[in-house]
């Protein structure tokens, strides 16, 4: 049997330079602003540094998840649970995992890319990303500002909206490109 | 390490590939973190409050727009939302702002487009923006029905 390299092993890693251009653009912005507002740039760097440090454990968790997916999860299993034929269960699973996921949304992009390459549909990926709007640990803060009933009603509508978004993404035929 | 008989990769290879894959996405993630630092330094709650006019439709769209270009921990959006309510900004605009903050991400759009595809990122954020206007309307209407 041919040795499987996991998801990335299907082909050469994408050599997109977009990420470097984006980072370069942000660095240029920092340098330009530094000449006019050096103190604010120092503050921005401090805030970014702190944010980066806070995110390090989350990055490790995401890499761990990606490794586990690579090792244990087969495309067949992903298709079964969150693929085209997964039906209502697939939508609910994407919804529940989105609600339970932690950290900023962008740290989950590589993980979703991984799952999409294994067979997760774009609609389920969209539901996962949207349902992250429901932050169970932060709900008491929202209740404090907006009230209990308003918060509950809003969360219910966010669940409906996340499913609408997922369905629309699929109806529009938008897919997540597979790695070459 | 032996490769499992069912054709799965070895544990070392699976994790090695995960690290490599994540590393290839690091420039986008670092760019997003640096942009968030800039945003948190230059944009304050008072600046946000000053742009609302009092018109419900206009302020709702504006709330969704400001939420879309904002970034950071969602709890920050709740606190700014609370400040906006204290400054008599209407609940539609505040809710649109809070919803868009967590569902639309203009700052991370380049990273999302690069990792999940341009079309997916564009349409997901576009639909998210429209829903950030619709969800407050649905929520407030439901509240009125409940009262």
């Amino acid at each position: 049997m041919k040795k499987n390299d996991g998801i990335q092993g299907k082909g050469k890693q994408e050599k997109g330079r977009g990420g470097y251009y984006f980072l370069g653009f942000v660095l240029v912005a920092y340098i330009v602003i530094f000449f006019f507002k050096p103190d604010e740039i120092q503050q921005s760097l401090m805030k970014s540094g702190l944010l980066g440090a806070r995110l390090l454990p989350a990055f490790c968790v995401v890499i761990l998840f990606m490794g586990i997916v690579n090792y244990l999860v087969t495309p067949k299993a992903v298709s079964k649970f969150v693929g085209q034929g997964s039906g209502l269960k697939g939508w609910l699973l994407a919804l529940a995992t989105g609600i339970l996921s932690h950290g900023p949304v962008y740290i989950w992009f590589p993980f979703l890319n991984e799952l999409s390459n294994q067979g997760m549909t774009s609609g389920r990926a969209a539901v996962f990303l949207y349902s992250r709007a429901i932050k169970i640990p932060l709900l008491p803060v929202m209740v404090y500002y907006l009230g209990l009933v308003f918060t509950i009603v809003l969360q219910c509508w966010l669940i409906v909206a996340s499913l609408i978004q997922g369905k629309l993404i699929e109806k529009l035929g938008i897919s997540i490109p597979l790695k070459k | 390490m032996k490769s499992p008989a069912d054709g799965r990769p070895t544990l070392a290879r699976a994790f090695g590939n995960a690290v490599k894959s994540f590393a290839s996405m690091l420039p986008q993630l670092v760019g997003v973190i640096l942009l968030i630092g800039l945003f948190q330094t230059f944009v304050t709650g008072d600046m946000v409050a000053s742009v609302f006019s009092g018109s419900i439709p206009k302020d709702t769209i504006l709330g969704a727009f400001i939420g879309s270009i904002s970034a950071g921990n969602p709890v920050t959006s709740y606190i700014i939302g609370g400040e906006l309510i204290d400054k008599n900004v209407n609940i539609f605009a505040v809710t649109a702002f809070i919803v868009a903050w967590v569902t639309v991400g203009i700052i991370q759009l380049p990273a999302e487009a690069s990792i999940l595809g341009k079309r997916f990122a564009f349409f997901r954020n576009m639909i998210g923006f429209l829903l950030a206007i619709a969800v407050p309307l649905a929520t407030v209407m439901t509240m009125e029905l409940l009262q």
Side-chain angles (χ1 to χ4, degrees), chain A residues 24-119:
Chain A
F25 169 78
V26 176
L27 290 176
V28 168
Y30 262 81
I31 292 165
V32 171
I33 300 169
F34 177 77
F35 287 109
F36 304 99
K37 303 213 175 240
D39 291 343
E40 281 83 349
I41 283 297
Q42 208 177 336
Q43 269 182 46
S44 303
L45 279 174
M46 290 267 285
K47 285 180 178 172
S48 298
L50 281 174
L51 179 62
R54 274 209 313 268
L55 287 177
L56 270 181
F59 284 160
C60 295
V61 170
V62 170
I63 292 171
L64 183 73
F65 278 7
M66 288 164 75
I68 291 169
V69 166
N70 252 350
Y71 182 65
L72 290 179
V73 184
T74 61
K76 207 175 152 190
V78 174
S79 294
K80 186 181 165 195
F81 291 113
V82 281
Q84 205 68 56
S86 60
L88 182 65
K89 269 188 205 163
W91 292 108
L92 295 179
L93 186 63
L95 187 74
T97 47
I99 292 171
L100 294 174
S101 65
H102 285 283
V105 65
Y106 46 88
I107 67 166
W108 292 99
F109 295 156
F111 179 67
L112 288 175
N113 177 286
E114 207 87 84
L115 283 180
S116 298
N117 278 269
Q118 295 270 33

Side-chain angles (χ1 to χ4, degrees), chain B residues 10-126:
Chain B
T10 62
L11 192 64
R13 190 178 284 268
F15 277 91
N17 284 336
V19 171
K20 250 197 266 175
S21 180
F22 193 83
S24 73
M25 297 165 193
L26 262 185
Q28 290 100 313
L29 299 178
V30 173
V32 169
I33 290 169
L34 286 170
L35 259 188
I36 291 172
L38 271 184
F39 179 84
Q40 289 181 343
T41 304
F42 285 96
V43 181
T44 63
D46 281 340
M47 280 167 77
V48 174
S50 67
V51 297
F52 291 102
S53 63
S55 145
I56 289 177
K58 245 167 118 180
D59 283 358
T60 307
I61 295 169
L62 201 58
F65 177 72
I66 296 170
S68 302
I69 56 168
S70 306
N73 193 308
V75 83
T76 312
S77 76
Y78 304 161
I79 295 165
I80 297 175
E83 279 180 46
L84 295 178
I85 289 172
D86 288 346
K87 286 175 178 141
N88 293 323
V89 175
N90 66 70
I91 192 71
F92 293 94
V94 174
T95 312
F97 169 76
I98 290 172
V99 172
W101 182 293
V102 276
T103 58
V104 187
I106 300 300
I107 288 183
Q108 58 257 25
L109 192 63
E112 185 175 351
S114 160
I115 298 169
L116 297 176
K118 286 183 191 132
R119 278 193 83 214
F120 178 84
F122 173 77
F123 280 103
R124 193 189 76 78
N125 282 282
M126 182 55 85

